[in-house]
């Protein structure tokens, strides 16, 4: 997976929250309270909290409806010994979305998992957002840290204009600036050349994906909260990437 620059426990945790597309969801069996674990696809909300799309026919969904307490493990999927890679365990409560929040979660989830559009609106499927109550990071020997949500979630205060314009910015980047996205991926993040597309943006960074590649996270050099600030920072990053290409 993409290396995390300027390692801190909080930075690595935020990176895993944004880049992970699958995880192990632990729930509690109704009645007995026995632990139950399953594989799920994952996306992220504006603040980085995980989004799930799960069917009411699945055991884990029935468990969540009966008891919303969950734990979600996200890992780097590193080559070789998986225990040498970083992983986080996100504890929290899973809340089913409706109304405007459901619309937002649906859009962000399908940006990350476009193939899910074929079944996302089936009556038995629902979108859930996990509200973290704590995160446990294991990042190698001597790098085991417990983090509170406020240390790893992105503040959305004052970012209403950016949030409202997010999909327009995504569509614009994917329609008119695929060359810039490829430069971000290859020159700033060290990924291979591919048909990189933007899947999301928030005050802290830009999310990208391409078929056959791990998802990428491009951190912004500063916090942004308006569409105008987004245009400036993306232009600056494109110039930085082009300069790196020429060097």
């Amino acid at each position: 997976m993409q290396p995390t620059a300027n390692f801190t426990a909080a930075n690595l945790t935020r990176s895993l929250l944004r880049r992970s597309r699958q995880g192990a969801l632990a729930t509690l069996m109704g009645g007995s309270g026995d632990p139950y674990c399953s594989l799920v696809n994952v996306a992220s909300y504006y603040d980085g909290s995980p989004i799930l799309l799960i069917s009411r026919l699945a055991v884990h969904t029935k468990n969540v409806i009966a008891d919303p307490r969950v734990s979600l493990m996200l890992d780097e999927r590193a080559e070789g010994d998986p225990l040498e890679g970083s992983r986080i365990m996100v504890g929290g409560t899973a809340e089913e979305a409706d109304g405007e929040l459901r619309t937002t979660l649906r859009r962000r989830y399908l940006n990350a998992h476009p193939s899910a559009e074929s079944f996302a609106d089936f009556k038995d499927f629902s979108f859930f957002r996990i509200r973290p109550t704590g995160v446990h990071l294991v990042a190698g020997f001597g790098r085991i840290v417990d983090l509170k949500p406020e240390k790893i979630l992105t503040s959305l205060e004052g970012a209403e204009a950016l949030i409202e314009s997010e999909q327009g910015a995504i569509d614009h980047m994917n329609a008119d600036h695929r060359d810039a996205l490829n430069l971000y991926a290859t020159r700033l993040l060290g990924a291979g050349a591919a048909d990189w597309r933007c899947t999301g943006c928030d005050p802290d960074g830009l999310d990208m994906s391409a078929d056959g590649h791990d998802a990428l996270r491009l951190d912004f050099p500063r916090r942004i909260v308006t569409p105008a600030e987004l245009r400036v920072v993306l232009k600056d990053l494109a110039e930085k990437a082009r300069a790196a290409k020429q060097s």
Side-chain angles (χ1 to χ4, degrees):
M1 272 183 114
Q2 170 190 333
T4 303
N6 302 320
F7 172 84
T8 68
N11 283 347
L12 178 54
T13 298
R14 283 191 289 265
S15 180
L16 287 171
L17 283 171
R18 298 294 188 177
R19 292 185 286 121
S20 296
R21 292 293 178 263
Q22 294 82 35
L25 177 69
T27 58
L28 298 172
M29 292 290 291
S32 68
D34 291 340
Y36 180 87
C37 189
S38 53
L39 181 66
V40 291
N41 283 339
V42 182
S44 65
Y45 187 61
Y46 299 117
D47 64 358
S49 54
I51 300 171
L52 308 177
L53 173 61
I54 49 180
S55 168
R56 290 177 180 270
L57 302 178
V59 171
H60 53 233
T61 309
K62 296 175 182 178
N63 292 345
V64 166
I65 292 172
D67 187 336
R69 292 177 296 169
V70 299
S71 179
L72 180 69
M73 187 183 79
L74 306 173
D75 74 288
E76 285 190 317
R77 305 294 170 97
E79 295 183 5
D81 185 349
L83 294 182
E84 293 183 359
S86 300
R87 60 266 192 198
I88 55 174
M89 279 60 70
V90 183
T93 56
E95 299 178 355
E96 186 174 0
D98 57 15
E100 185 177 343
L101 179 59
R102 183 191 183 279
T103 300
T104 298
L105 298 193
R106 180 185 186 279
R107 179 177 59 76
R108 288 188 63 87
Y109 186 93
L110 293 182
N111 281 341
H113 299 282
S115 64
E117 188 168 11
S118 62
F119 57 83
D121 295 323
F122 287 2
K123 290 184 178 179
D124 60 295
F125 276 87
S126 297
F127 289 94
F128 287 78
R129 175 185 172 192
I130 296 177
R131 290 189 176 272
T133 55
V135 177
H136 182 72
L137 167 70
V138 179
F141 184 77
R143 288 182 167 183
I144 301 175
V145 183
D146 289 313
L147 296 160
K148 294 182 178 180
E150 57 267 26
K151 295 293 186 181
I152 50 92
L153 295 180
T154 297
S155 171
L156 303 180
E157 184 177 359
E160 293 82 5
L162 178 67
I163 289 171
E164 184 177 349
S165 66
E166 182 204 26
Q167 190 60 46
I170 292 171
D171 293 342
H172 174 64
M173 291 298 295
N174 289 336
D176 299 331
H177 298 289
R178 293 296 264 266
D179 57 337
L181 293 172
N182 192 62
L183 285 173
Y184 298 153
T186 58
R187 299 297 169 175
L188 299 183
L189 300 176
D195 187 19
W196 290 100
R197 61 185 179 87
C198 178
T199 60
C201 65
D202 56 79
D204 290 341
L206 193 78
D207 300 316
M208 296 185 291
S209 69
D211 291 343
H213 293 262
D214 291 327
L216 298 177
R217 174 68 170 181
L218 177 65
D219 291 326
F220 294 149
R222 57 189 178 277
R223 175 179 168 83
I224 61 160
V225 295
T226 68
E229 291 175 343
L230 177 63
R231 286 192 292 271
V232 170
V233 79
L234 290 177
K235 181 175 181 288
D236 290 346
L237 287 168
E239 291 176 353
K240 179 180 179 181
R242 291 188 181 97
K245 182 177 182 179
Q246 294 170 357
S247 61

